[in-house]
Amino acid sequence: LYISYNDRARMEAMLANVSHAVEVIVVTDGERILGLGDLGLNGVGIPIGKLSLYTLCAGIRPAVTLPIVLDVGTDNHEFLNDPLYLGWRHERVRGAEYDAFIDRFVNAVKKCWPHVLLQFEDFAKGNAARLLEKYRDQLCTFNDDIQGTGAVAAAGVMAAVRAIGGKMRDQQVVILGAGSAAMGIGDQLVMAMKQEGMDLVSARSKIWLVDSQGLVLKERPNLEPGKSRFAQPAERTTEWTVKNRGQMDLAETVRHVRPTVLIGTSAQPNVFTEEIVRAMASDSPRPM
């Protein structure tokens, strides 16, 4: 189902035209597709593919699934100038108008199928966590980029910790990248540490984020809200020997934090260098 911004007044009627019972919806607005960026309406393959996984892995009948694209425009000028592009030829709607559109959509879904599972997929990081937080108590909703990625990564770390006979609370974790995936992984690892008796503050102190500007510190100007819960106080780095305390790179962070776990959520290639891997191995007999 394709719902354009210009269809916002007819949303409920469009959903009511679906002739079958719907149990699972995967919806995208196409803004952050994989490593491809803003695909607008062309992101339709993502909800179709994700629902195929529900069928293949969980046995959900295809007849009760519904892939949806919310077409709120695109900032991809290649598509805007392409005569064959099928989406709405308009730059992306943002701000209060965008939020009102999403709210109208979620309310229409709730009215048509109050017990449906609604999965948000490939929304931009500025919207993903915010929308999940807003609607998570209104209906059964899920964000794969945040929660799915987090659960799978946490499962891998927990299995590795068990294999070496360790404890989650004893791990130091460095995550390269600080987008939706990093937030989800950090949250899941913190939950695992709390299950071993750690408090929230102590567990978050074990997670170190490194983004394009370097190690994420609380003192960074204009720190994004999503990153703030894992930002470390600069005082924890006062004894480190670094080139620029405001822009500590991954190698410097690994050298000083001495992580047992290194996770990559960045699209940047060739970042886990031999130097970094050797630095981890020098401090941890079984680095993850």
Side-chain angles (χ1 to χ4, degrees):
L1 180 64
Y2 301 84
I3 303 177
S4 170
Y5 184 75
N6 292 322
D7 296 322
R8 59 193 181 279
R10 304 191 304 121
M11 227 180 275
E12 193 174 309
M14 293 174 73
L15 292 178
N17 277 332
V18 177
S19 59
H20 60 278
V22 176
E23 296 179 9
V24 184
I25 292 171
V26 176
V27 62
T28 187
D29 68 356
E31 186 169 5
R32 194 202 63 83
I33 302 295
L34 303 176
L36 302 175
D38 187 349
L39 296 190
L41 195 78
N42 291 346
V44 61
I46 293 299
I48 292 172
K50 292 290 182 173
L51 286 168
S52 298
L53 292 177
Y54 274 90
T55 297
L56 289 167
C57 302
I60 304 295
R61 292 184 300 117
V64 298
T65 68
L66 179 63
I68 297 179
V69 177
L70 300 177
D71 186 4
V72 292
T74 178
D75 290 336
N76 188 323
H77 289 277
E78 179 183 345
F79 293 150
L80 292 175
N81 296 324
D82 184 352
L84 298 180
Y85 179 61
L86 297 177
W88 183 38
R89 295 176 187 277
H90 193 283
E91 293 185 346
R92 280 192 173 270
V93 173
R94 300 194 181 278
E97 293 175 328
Y98 175 85
D99 287 351
F101 178 78
I102 298 295
D103 201 55
R104 181 172 260 174
F105 166 71
V106 173
N107 285 325
V109 168
K110 285 161 58 178
K111 187 167 184 178
C112 290
W113 306 292
H115 303 295
V116 77
L117 165 61
L118 176 64
Q119 175 178 324
F120 290 103
E121 186 68 33
D122 284 351
F123 283 71
K125 67 178 182 180
N127 293 322
R130 190 171 60 83
L131 294 177
L132 176 63
E133 195 62 33
K134 181 175 181 179
Y135 296 112
R136 67 190 311 163
D137 295 325
Q138 296 188 31
L139 77 170
C140 183
T141 189
F142 172 74
N143 186 297
D144 189 37
D145 307 295
I146 298 173
Q147 295 164 297
T149 304
V152 171
V157 173
M158 292 168 73
V161 168
R162 188 177 300 131
I164 64 175
K167 297 287 187 182
M168 286 296 298
R169 64 174 178 261
D170 296 327
Q171 309 309 312
Q172 290 282 354
V173 182
V174 170
I175 303 178
L176 176 66
S180 299
M183 298 300 106
I185 293 170
D187 286 338
Q188 296 288 341
L189 293 177
V190 164
M191 287 175 62
M193 292 175 185
K194 287 176 65 180
Q195 287 178 341
E196 293 185 354
M198 292 189 79
D199 62 81
L200 178 63
V201 174
S202 298
R204 285 180 174 173
S205 74
K206 298 280 190 174
I207 312 292
W208 303 75
L209 299 183
V210 179
D211 63 8
S212 59
Q213 299 179 55
L215 179 63
V216 178
L217 298 174
K218 288 189 182 298
E219 291 75 10
R220 178 188 292 182
N222 304 315
L223 184 64
E224 297 172 34
K227 298 178 183 180
S228 61
R229 65 181 180 273
F230 293 114
Q232 298 290 348
E235 62 189 37
R236 295 191 69 188
T237 71
T238 52
E239 296 182 3
W240 295 7
T241 304
V242 295
K243 301 172 189 172
N244 183 345
R245 200 163 303 279
Q247 293 181 311
M248 286 176 275
D249 62 17
L250 180 63
E252 290 175 320
T253 302
V254 168
R255 190 167 65 252
H256 290 94
V257 171
R258 299 183 176 181
T260 56
V261 181
L262 178 61
I263 298 174
T265 68
S266 168
Q268 187 178 352
N270 306 317
V271 181
F272 289 178
T273 62
E274 180 176 342
E275 173 197 358
I276 288 171
V277 174
R278 287 188 179 278
M280 283 196 68
S282 67
D283 290 307
S284 175
R286 297 288 295 278
M288 291 166 260

